[in-house]
Amino acid sequence: MSETEVTTAPRPLLLADGRPAARAWSLDPALRHLNHGSFGAVPLAAQERQNELRTEMERAPVVWFPELPQRLAAARAGLAAFLGADPGDLALVPNASAGVSVVYAGLERRGGGEIVVTDHGYGAVTMGAERLARRWGGRVRTARVPLDADEERAYEAVMAEVGESTGLLVIDQITSATARRLPVERIGAEARRRGVPLLVDGAHAPGLVAAPLSGLTCDFWAGNLHKWGCAPRGTAALVARGPLRDALYPLIDSWGAHDPYPDRFDQQGTVDATHYLAAATALDFVDGTWGWPAARRYMDELAGYAEQVVGAAFASLTGADAHVDVGMPVPGMRLVRLPDGLAGSRVTADALRDRAAAELGVEAAFTSFGGAGYVRLSAHVYNTAEDYEYFAERCVPVLGEWARAARAQRHGTA
Protein backbone atom coordinates (compact mmCIF):
# COMPACT_ATOMS: atom_id res chain seq x y z
CA MET A 1 0.00 0.00 0.00
CA SER A 2 2.76 2.44 0.86
CA GLU A 3 6.23 2.41 -0.60
CA THR A 4 6.83 6.15 -0.60
CA GLU A 5 10.47 7.12 -1.09
CA VAL A 6 11.20 10.56 0.33
CA THR A 7 14.53 12.32 -0.12
CA THR A 8 13.47 15.74 1.13
CA ALA A 9 11.27 16.84 3.98
CA PRO A 10 7.64 17.42 2.95
CA ARG A 11 6.37 20.95 3.40
CA PRO A 12 4.37 21.28 6.66
CA LEU A 13 0.60 21.47 6.43
CA LEU A 14 -0.90 24.77 7.52
CA LEU A 15 -4.32 25.96 8.59
CA ALA A 16 -6.32 28.26 6.35
CA ASP A 17 -5.01 31.31 8.23
CA GLY A 18 -1.40 30.25 7.73
CA ARG A 19 -0.81 28.91 11.23
CA PRO A 20 0.90 25.53 11.75
CA ALA A 21 -1.50 22.59 11.76
CA ALA A 22 -0.49 21.78 15.35
CA ARG A 23 -2.33 24.92 16.52
CA ALA A 24 -5.60 23.10 15.88
CA TRP A 25 -4.78 20.64 18.68
CA SER A 26 -4.23 21.09 22.42
CA LEU A 27 -0.98 19.11 22.42
CA ASP A 28 1.61 19.96 25.07
CA PRO A 29 4.29 22.02 23.28
CA ALA A 30 6.89 20.81 25.78
CA LEU A 31 6.65 17.30 24.30
CA ARG A 32 7.41 15.94 20.84
CA HIS A 33 4.35 13.91 19.85
CA LEU A 34 5.62 11.14 17.59
CA ASN A 35 3.14 8.42 18.48
CA HIS A 36 -0.22 9.32 17.03
CA GLY A 37 -0.86 5.64 16.34
CA SER A 38 -1.43 4.67 19.97
CA PHE A 39 -4.03 7.11 21.27
CA GLY A 40 -4.54 9.65 18.52
CA ALA A 41 -5.07 13.35 19.19
CA VAL A 42 -8.36 15.25 19.23
CA PRO A 43 -8.68 18.57 17.34
CA LEU A 44 -9.87 21.54 19.36
CA ALA A 45 -12.96 21.74 17.15
CA ALA A 46 -14.04 18.24 18.22
CA GLN A 47 -13.19 18.93 21.87
CA GLU A 48 -15.33 22.06 21.77
CA ARG A 49 -18.20 20.21 20.10
CA GLN A 50 -18.08 17.49 22.74
CA ASN A 51 -18.11 20.10 25.50
CA GLU A 52 -21.18 21.71 23.92
CA LEU A 53 -22.92 18.35 23.86
CA ARG A 54 -22.02 17.67 27.48
CA THR A 55 -23.46 21.03 28.48
CA GLU A 56 -26.67 20.15 26.64
CA MET A 57 -26.76 16.76 28.38
CA GLU A 58 -26.29 18.24 31.86
CA ARG A 59 -28.89 20.97 31.36
CA ALA A 60 -31.72 18.47 30.78
CA PRO A 61 -30.63 14.85 31.29
CA VAL A 62 -34.21 13.54 31.37
CA VAL A 63 -34.69 14.98 27.89
CA TRP A 64 -31.21 14.01 26.68
CA PHE A 65 -31.10 10.29 27.41
CA PRO A 66 -34.46 9.24 25.90
CA GLU A 67 -33.52 11.09 22.69
CA LEU A 68 -29.97 9.74 22.62
CA PRO A 69 -30.64 6.50 20.64
CA GLN A 70 -32.02 8.48 17.71
CA ARG A 71 -29.02 10.81 17.72
CA LEU A 72 -26.62 7.88 17.89
CA ALA A 73 -28.37 6.18 14.98
CA ALA A 74 -27.81 9.30 12.87
CA ALA A 75 -24.16 9.43 13.96
CA ARG A 76 -23.71 5.78 12.99
CA ALA A 77 -24.91 6.48 9.48
CA GLY A 78 -22.28 9.18 8.97
CA LEU A 79 -19.48 7.06 10.36
CA ALA A 80 -20.54 4.10 8.22
CA ALA A 81 -20.18 6.24 5.10
CA PHE A 82 -16.65 7.23 6.15
CA LEU A 83 -15.69 3.60 6.67
CA GLY A 84 -17.37 2.23 3.56
CA ALA A 85 -19.82 0.15 5.60
CA ASP A 86 -23.57 -0.37 5.54
CA PRO A 87 -25.16 1.70 8.36
CA GLY A 88 -27.27 -1.30 9.33
CA ASP A 89 -24.11 -3.29 10.01
CA LEU A 90 -22.37 -0.79 12.29
CA ALA A 91 -22.61 -0.58 16.08
CA LEU A 92 -20.80 1.94 18.27
CA VAL A 93 -18.35 0.59 20.86
CA PRO A 94 -15.72 2.23 23.13
CA ASN A 95 -12.70 0.81 21.30
CA ALA A 96 -11.70 -1.97 18.94
CA SER A 97 -10.92 -4.33 21.81
CA ALA A 98 -14.46 -3.83 23.13
CA GLY A 99 -15.83 -4.71 19.71
CA VAL A 100 -13.71 -7.85 19.63
CA SER A 101 -14.89 -8.73 23.13
CA VAL A 102 -18.51 -8.41 21.97
CA VAL A 103 -17.81 -10.95 19.24
CA TYR A 104 -16.04 -13.32 21.62
CA ALA A 105 -18.97 -13.11 24.06
CA GLY A 106 -21.57 -13.81 21.38
CA LEU A 107 -20.07 -16.67 19.41
CA GLU A 108 -21.00 -20.26 20.10
CA ARG A 109 -18.49 -23.04 19.61
CA ARG A 110 -17.96 -24.02 16.00
CA GLY A 111 -15.91 -26.76 14.40
CA GLY A 112 -13.45 -28.25 16.85
CA GLY A 113 -13.22 -25.06 18.84
CA GLU A 114 -9.87 -23.88 17.46
CA ILE A 115 -9.17 -20.17 16.99
CA VAL A 116 -6.46 -19.05 14.59
CA VAL A 117 -4.51 -15.85 15.33
CA THR A 118 -1.14 -14.55 14.16
CA ASP A 119 2.03 -13.71 16.05
CA HIS A 120 1.48 -10.06 15.02
CA GLY A 121 -1.84 -9.86 16.87
CA TYR A 122 -2.62 -7.21 19.46
CA GLY A 123 -1.98 -8.66 22.92
CA ALA A 124 -5.38 -7.96 24.44
CA VAL A 125 -7.16 -9.41 21.40
CA THR A 126 -5.06 -12.56 21.53
CA MET A 127 -5.64 -12.95 25.27
CA GLY A 128 -9.37 -12.70 24.63
CA ALA A 129 -9.08 -15.42 21.99
CA GLU A 130 -7.30 -17.62 24.51
CA ARG A 131 -10.11 -17.14 27.05
CA LEU A 132 -12.70 -17.97 24.41
CA ALA A 133 -10.79 -21.11 23.43
CA ARG A 134 -10.78 -22.22 27.06
CA ARG A 135 -14.55 -21.71 27.27
CA TRP A 136 -14.95 -23.70 24.08
CA GLY A 137 -12.68 -26.45 25.35
CA GLY A 138 -10.51 -25.81 22.31
CA ARG A 139 -7.20 -24.09 21.68
CA VAL A 140 -5.53 -21.21 19.89
CA ARG A 141 -3.32 -21.85 16.88
CA THR A 142 -0.80 -19.14 16.05
CA ALA A 143 0.21 -18.48 12.46
CA ARG A 144 3.86 -17.37 12.30
CA VAL A 145 4.13 -14.63 9.70
CA PRO A 146 7.69 -13.45 9.01
CA LEU A 147 8.08 -9.70 9.42
CA ASP A 148 9.20 -9.34 5.82
CA ALA A 149 6.54 -11.66 4.36
CA ASP A 150 4.87 -10.39 1.20
CA GLU A 151 1.17 -10.96 0.51
CA GLU A 152 1.61 -14.50 -0.79
CA ARG A 153 3.81 -15.67 2.09
CA ALA A 154 1.58 -14.04 4.68
CA TYR A 155 -1.54 -15.58 3.15
CA GLU A 156 0.01 -19.04 3.03
CA ALA A 157 1.25 -18.79 6.64
CA VAL A 158 -2.23 -17.92 7.91
CA MET A 159 -4.21 -20.40 5.85
CA ALA A 160 -1.80 -23.22 6.76
CA GLU A 161 -3.26 -23.06 10.29
CA VAL A 162 -6.91 -23.14 9.16
CA GLY A 163 -8.59 -26.54 9.05
CA GLU A 164 -11.79 -28.42 9.78
CA SER A 165 -11.46 -27.65 13.51
CA THR A 166 -11.20 -23.89 13.01
CA GLY A 167 -14.15 -22.08 14.61
CA LEU A 168 -12.85 -18.52 14.23
CA LEU A 169 -10.07 -16.69 12.40
CA VAL A 170 -8.76 -13.42 13.93
CA ILE A 171 -6.54 -11.27 11.70
CA ASP A 172 -5.21 -7.71 11.91
CA GLN A 173 -5.87 -5.40 9.00
CA ILE A 174 -2.89 -3.31 10.15
CA THR A 175 -0.68 -4.74 12.86
CA SER A 176 0.09 -2.66 15.94
CA ALA A 177 3.56 -3.76 16.99
CA THR A 178 4.93 -4.26 13.49
CA ALA A 179 3.14 -1.55 11.45
CA ARG A 180 2.35 -3.75 8.46
CA ARG A 181 -0.68 -4.98 6.58
CA LEU A 182 -1.95 -8.51 6.44
CA PRO A 183 -3.83 -9.71 3.34
CA VAL A 184 -7.26 -9.61 4.96
CA GLU A 185 -9.08 -9.24 1.62
CA ARG A 186 -7.64 -12.46 0.24
CA ILE A 187 -7.92 -14.27 3.57
CA GLY A 188 -11.53 -13.11 3.89
CA ALA A 189 -12.52 -14.47 0.49
CA GLU A 190 -10.99 -17.88 1.26
CA ALA A 191 -12.44 -17.99 4.79
CA ARG A 192 -15.90 -17.32 3.36
CA ARG A 193 -15.41 -20.12 0.81
CA ARG A 194 -14.51 -22.52 3.63
CA GLY A 195 -17.29 -21.35 5.93
CA VAL A 196 -14.91 -20.11 8.63
CA PRO A 197 -15.98 -16.92 10.46
CA LEU A 198 -13.44 -14.10 10.14
CA LEU A 199 -12.93 -11.33 12.69
CA VAL A 200 -10.75 -8.47 11.41
CA ASP A 201 -8.99 -6.26 13.95
CA GLY A 202 -9.02 -2.95 12.09
CA ALA A 203 -7.94 -0.80 15.05
CA HIS A 204 -5.52 1.34 13.00
CA ALA A 205 -7.41 1.42 9.71
CA PRO A 206 -10.00 4.24 10.03
CA GLY A 207 -8.47 7.45 8.73
CA LEU A 208 -5.22 5.79 7.74
CA VAL A 209 -6.94 3.79 4.98
CA ALA A 210 -9.70 5.21 2.81
CA ALA A 211 -12.98 3.30 3.33
CA PRO A 212 -11.35 0.27 5.02
CA LEU A 213 -14.53 -1.86 4.77
CA SER A 214 -14.93 -1.45 1.02
CA GLY A 215 -14.22 -4.71 -0.77
CA LEU A 216 -13.48 -6.56 2.47
CA THR A 217 -15.21 -9.91 3.05
CA CYS A 218 -15.52 -10.66 6.75
CA ASP A 219 -18.10 -11.54 9.37
CA PHE A 220 -16.86 -9.04 11.95
CA TRP A 221 -14.64 -5.97 11.90
CA ALA A 222 -13.67 -3.58 14.71
CA GLY A 223 -11.82 -0.30 14.27
CA ASN A 224 -10.92 2.81 16.26
CA LEU A 225 -11.95 6.24 15.06
CA HIS A 226 -10.02 7.91 17.89
CA LYS A 227 -6.65 6.98 16.40
CA TRP A 228 -6.03 8.25 12.86
CA GLY A 229 -9.53 9.66 12.57
CA CYS A 230 -8.84 11.99 15.53
CA ALA A 231 -12.30 11.45 17.05
CA PRO A 232 -12.72 11.92 20.82
CA ARG A 233 -11.46 9.10 23.03
CA GLY A 234 -13.57 5.98 23.18
CA THR A 235 -15.00 6.20 19.66
CA ALA A 236 -14.91 2.94 17.73
CA ALA A 237 -17.07 0.87 15.43
CA LEU A 238 -18.07 -2.78 15.30
CA VAL A 239 -19.26 -3.97 11.91
CA ALA A 240 -21.04 -7.32 11.76
CA ARG A 241 -22.50 -9.00 8.70
CA GLY A 242 -24.59 -12.09 8.20
CA PRO A 243 -26.64 -14.22 10.61
CA LEU A 244 -23.92 -14.51 13.28
CA ARG A 245 -24.43 -10.86 14.20
CA ASP A 246 -27.84 -11.64 15.71
CA ALA A 247 -25.98 -13.15 18.70
CA LEU A 248 -24.04 -9.94 19.41
CA TYR A 249 -25.05 -7.82 22.41
CA PRO A 250 -23.46 -4.89 24.24
CA LEU A 251 -21.17 -5.85 27.09
CA ILE A 252 -23.61 -3.98 29.37
CA ASP A 253 -27.26 -5.07 29.27
CA SER A 254 -29.69 -2.18 29.08
CA TRP A 255 -33.25 -1.37 28.00
CA GLY A 256 -32.37 -1.79 24.35
CA ALA A 257 -31.61 -5.50 24.79
CA HIS A 258 -34.70 -6.56 22.84
CA ASP A 259 -33.91 -4.24 19.92
CA PRO A 260 -32.30 -5.71 16.80
CA TYR A 261 -28.62 -5.37 16.00
CA PRO A 262 -27.17 -2.71 15.88
CA ASP A 263 -29.90 -0.60 17.56
CA ARG A 264 -29.48 -2.44 20.85
CA PHE A 265 -26.02 -0.86 21.21
CA ASP A 266 -27.49 2.67 21.22
CA GLN A 267 -28.89 2.39 24.76
CA GLN A 268 -26.27 2.05 27.48
CA GLY A 269 -27.95 3.65 30.49
CA THR A 270 -26.30 6.87 31.68
CA VAL A 271 -23.03 6.41 29.77
CA ASP A 272 -21.70 9.70 28.40
CA ALA A 273 -21.94 9.11 24.66
CA THR A 274 -20.97 12.62 23.54
CA HIS A 275 -17.74 11.29 22.03
CA TYR A 276 -19.73 9.39 19.42
CA LEU A 277 -21.75 12.48 18.53
CA ALA A 278 -18.63 14.65 18.22
CA ALA A 279 -16.73 12.18 16.04
CA ALA A 280 -18.06 13.66 12.79
CA THR A 281 -16.65 17.06 13.79
CA ALA A 282 -13.14 15.60 13.92
CA LEU A 283 -13.50 13.80 10.59
CA ASP A 284 -15.00 16.87 8.95
CA PHE A 285 -12.26 19.12 10.33
CA VAL A 286 -9.52 17.16 8.57
CA ASP A 287 -11.60 16.78 5.44
CA GLY A 288 -12.59 20.43 5.27
CA THR A 289 -9.15 21.80 6.08
CA TRP A 290 -6.94 19.65 3.85
CA GLY A 291 -9.04 16.80 2.50
CA TRP A 292 -8.40 13.24 3.64
CA PRO A 293 -6.46 12.20 0.50
CA ALA A 294 -4.02 15.12 0.91
CA ALA A 295 -3.73 14.45 4.64
CA ARG A 296 -2.92 10.78 4.08
CA ARG A 297 -0.38 11.66 1.42
CA TYR A 298 1.36 14.09 3.76
CA MET A 299 1.37 11.59 6.63
CA ASP A 300 2.91 8.93 4.43
CA GLU A 301 5.58 11.21 2.97
CA LEU A 302 6.49 12.48 6.42
CA ALA A 303 6.69 8.95 7.85
CA GLY A 304 8.97 7.98 4.98
CA TYR A 305 11.21 10.96 5.69
CA ALA A 306 11.21 10.12 9.41
CA GLU A 307 12.28 6.56 8.64
CA GLN A 308 15.24 7.79 6.61
CA VAL A 309 16.37 10.40 9.13
CA VAL A 310 16.00 8.25 12.24
CA GLY A 311 17.30 5.11 10.52
CA ALA A 312 20.41 6.95 9.33
CA ALA A 313 21.04 8.26 12.84
CA PHE A 314 20.93 4.76 14.34
CA ALA A 315 23.07 3.37 11.52
CA SER A 316 25.69 6.06 12.11
CA LEU A 317 25.65 5.27 15.81
CA THR A 318 25.84 1.48 15.63
CA GLY A 319 27.27 0.75 12.19
CA ALA A 320 24.31 -1.55 11.51
CA ASP A 321 21.48 -1.03 9.05
CA ALA A 322 18.37 0.03 10.97
CA HIS A 323 16.02 -0.31 7.99
CA VAL A 324 13.16 -2.78 8.47
CA ASP A 325 11.36 -4.60 5.66
CA VAL A 326 7.81 -5.21 6.84
CA GLY A 327 6.70 -6.94 3.64
CA MET A 328 3.37 -5.14 3.30
CA PRO A 329 3.91 -1.52 4.45
CA VAL A 330 1.18 0.91 5.44
CA PRO A 331 0.92 4.67 5.03
CA GLY A 332 1.78 6.92 7.93
CA MET A 333 3.81 4.41 9.98
CA ARG A 334 7.32 2.97 9.76
CA LEU A 335 9.52 0.69 11.86
CA VAL A 336 13.17 1.40 12.63
CA ARG A 337 15.34 -1.21 14.34
CA LEU A 338 16.64 -0.29 17.79
CA PRO A 339 20.11 -1.22 19.03
CA ASP A 340 20.42 -4.53 20.86
CA GLY A 341 19.50 -4.09 24.50
CA LEU A 342 16.38 -1.98 23.97
CA ALA A 343 12.74 -3.13 23.88
CA GLY A 344 13.40 -6.84 23.55
CA SER A 345 10.00 -7.59 25.10
CA ARG A 346 6.67 -5.84 25.44
CA VAL A 347 7.37 -5.02 29.08
CA THR A 348 10.75 -3.45 28.37
CA ALA A 349 9.35 -1.67 25.32
CA ASP A 350 6.64 -0.06 27.46
CA ALA A 351 9.22 0.90 30.08
CA LEU A 352 11.32 2.53 27.35
CA ARG A 353 8.27 4.48 26.16
CA ASP A 354 7.71 5.83 29.67
CA ARG A 355 11.38 6.69 30.18
CA ALA A 356 11.62 8.49 26.85
CA ALA A 357 8.63 10.65 27.73
CA ALA A 358 9.97 11.48 31.18
CA GLU A 359 13.65 12.03 30.32
CA LEU A 360 13.69 12.95 26.64
CA GLY A 361 10.41 14.84 26.33
CA VAL A 362 9.24 12.60 23.50
CA GLU A 363 6.05 10.59 23.13
CA ALA A 364 7.17 7.67 20.97
CA ALA A 365 6.08 4.08 20.42
CA PHE A 366 8.61 1.37 21.15
CA THR A 367 7.59 -2.15 20.19
CA SER A 368 8.93 -5.68 20.27
CA PHE A 369 8.60 -8.56 17.83
CA GLY A 370 10.52 -11.81 17.82
CA GLY A 371 12.81 -10.62 20.60
CA ALA A 372 13.94 -7.52 18.69
CA GLY A 373 13.12 -3.92 19.59
CA TYR A 374 11.81 -1.23 17.26
CA VAL A 375 10.69 2.36 17.33
CA ARG A 376 7.40 2.69 15.49
CA LEU A 377 7.34 6.09 13.86
CA SER A 378 3.90 7.48 13.07
CA ALA A 379 2.93 10.83 11.62
CA HIS A 380 -0.19 12.94 11.46
CA VAL A 381 -0.97 16.32 9.95
CA TYR A 382 0.26 18.23 13.01
CA ASN A 383 3.73 16.67 12.79
CA THR A 384 6.60 18.24 10.88
CA ALA A 385 9.99 17.05 9.65
CA GLU A 386 11.60 18.95 12.51
CA ASP A 387 9.96 16.61 15.02
CA TYR A 388 11.83 13.62 13.61
CA GLU A 389 15.05 15.52 13.04
CA TYR A 390 14.96 16.41 16.71
CA PHE A 391 14.49 12.77 17.62
CA ALA A 392 17.40 11.75 15.40
CA GLU A 393 19.76 14.42 16.70
CA ARG A 394 18.85 14.55 20.39
CA CYS A 395 17.25 11.24 21.30
CA VAL A 396 19.06 8.61 19.22
CA PRO A 397 22.47 9.22 20.91
CA VAL A 398 20.84 8.87 24.34
CA LEU A 399 19.04 5.70 23.28
CA GLY A 400 22.42 4.38 22.15
CA GLU A 401 23.82 5.01 25.62
CA TRP A 402 20.84 3.29 27.22
CA ALA A 403 21.34 0.31 24.92
CA ARG A 404 25.03 0.02 25.84
CA ALA A 405 24.18 0.19 29.54
CA ALA A 406 21.52 -2.51 29.13
CA ARG A 407 23.93 -4.81 27.31
CA ALA A 408 26.60 -4.27 29.95
CA GLN A 409 24.15 -5.06 32.71
CA ARG A 410 22.98 -8.17 30.87
CA HIS A 411 26.55 -9.43 30.58
CA GLY A 412 27.44 -8.47 34.14
CA THR A 413 30.01 -5.85 33.14
CA ALA A 414 28.21 -2.76 34.38
Side-chain angles (χ1 to χ4, degrees):
M1 181 174 294
S2 172
E3 297 183 4
T4 301
E5 293 292 337
V6 181
T7 56
T8 59
R11 181 177 299 177
L13 291 184
L14 302 175
L15 298 171
D17 59 9
R19 293 181 301 159
R23 295 295 296 273
W25 275 262
S26 56
L27 295 166
D28 184 351
L31 288 171
R32 300 280 175 166
H33 301 275
L34 311 183
N35 183 21
H36 186 91
S38 285
F39 300 102
V42 185
L44 287 168
Q47 295 181 41
E48 291 163 359
R49 177 57 180 154
Q50 187 176 14
N51 288 336
E52 291 172 357
L53 290 163
R54 282 176 172 153
T55 298
E56 182 182 347
M57 174 178 66
E58 298 303 340
R59 281 177 176 167
V62 178
V63 174
W64 171 271
F65 284 101
E67 293 180 350
L68 185 58
Q70 290 73 34
R71 299 180 75 162
L72 289 175
R76 283 195 282 111
L79 297 178
F82 180 76
L83 296 172
D86 187 316
D89 294 338
L90 188 148
L92 295 171
V93 290
N95 52 46
S97 296
V100 169
S101 296
V102 165
V103 175
Y104 289 162
L107 283 182
E108 295 182 359
R109 176 171 175 157
R110 298 171 57 89
E114 290 187 348
I115 302 171
V116 174
V117 302
T118 78
D119 54 349
H120 295 256
Y122 189 64
V125 171
T126 299
M127 287 188 285
E130 292 168 347
R131 289 191 294 274
L132 177 59
R134 288 195 293 270
R135 293 198 300 273
W136 280 359
R139 64 168 181 157
V140 168
R141 296 178 65 95
T142 302
R144 307 290 174 182
V145 180
L147 186 57
D148 64 351
D150 61 11
E151 178 178 335
E152 181 66 26
R153 291 172 64 201
Y155 170 81
E156 293 294 342
V158 171
M159 297 312 299
E161 300 298 329
V162 177
E164 293 182 0
S165 296
T166 305
L168 179 65
L169 181 55
V170 184
I171 304 293
D172 292 79
Q173 192 166 18
I174 296 173
T175 63
S176 178
T178 51
R180 61 158 291 154
R181 288 188 298 129
L182 290 173
V184 290
E185 294 84 3
R186 188 173 174 187
I187 290 170
E190 179 61 16
R192 178 61 54 84
R193 189 187 71 81
R194 299 191 191 190
V196 176
L198 171 62
L199 165 59
V200 173
D201 181 354
H204 281 274
L208 198 60
V209 176
L213 269 297
S214 295
L216 176 58
T217 300
C218 64
D219 299 274
F220 313 103
W221 178 96
N224 291 320
L225 286 141
H226 58 243
K227 287 181 181 284
W228 301 94
C230 297
R233 316 294 176 193
T235 306
L238 168 64
V239 174
R241 300 159 167 165
L244 293 177
R245 74 182 191 173
D246 293 335
L248 303 186
Y249 285 81
L251 298 178
I252 301 172
D253 284 326
S254 193
W255 287 102
H258 293 305
D259 292 341
Y261 176 95
D263 298 346
R264 63 177 69 121
F265 285 76
D266 292 340
Q267 283 201 59
Q268 290 287 276
T270 56
V271 169
D272 181 351
T274 55
H275 50 295
Y276 296 131
L277 302 181
T281 300
L283 300 177
D284 291 346
F285 168 74
V286 175
D287 193 39
T289 306
W290 302 285
W292 275 102
R296 292 188 189 99
R297 184 165 56 250
Y298 174 78
M299 290 187 283
D300 194 34
E301 290 175 354
L302 184 56
Y305 178 75
E307 177 188 26
Q308 293 179 8
V309 170
V310 174
F314 276 119
S316 177
L317 184 73
T318 66
D321 185 6
H323 173 76
V324 181
D325 179 5
V326 297
M328 298 179 69
V330 298
M333 287 198 292
R334 300 290 192 280
L335 282 191
V336 172
R337 178 70 182 263
L338 290 171
D340 181 37
L342 294 180
S345 68
R346 184 189 65 81
V347 172
T348 57
D350 288 349
L352 182 60
R353 173 202 63 200
D354 297 342
R355 187 180 183 186
E359 299 183 30
L360 301 178
V362 170
E363 286 191 339
F366 298 97
T367 69
S368 175
F369 182 76
Y374 303 91
V375 55
R376 189 192 72 193
L377 301 170
S378 60
H380 213 278
V381 295
Y382 56 78
N383 288 121
T384 66
E386 199 270 336
D387 291 328
Y388 304 95
E389 292 163 355
Y390 176 92
F391 185 86
E393 295 169 6
R394 302 291 185 86
C395 301
V396 166
V398 178
L399 290 169
E401 291 294 333
W402 292 354
R404 282 190 286 271
R407 291 195 300 270
Q409 184 178 32
R410 184 174 64 198
H411 296 298
T413 58

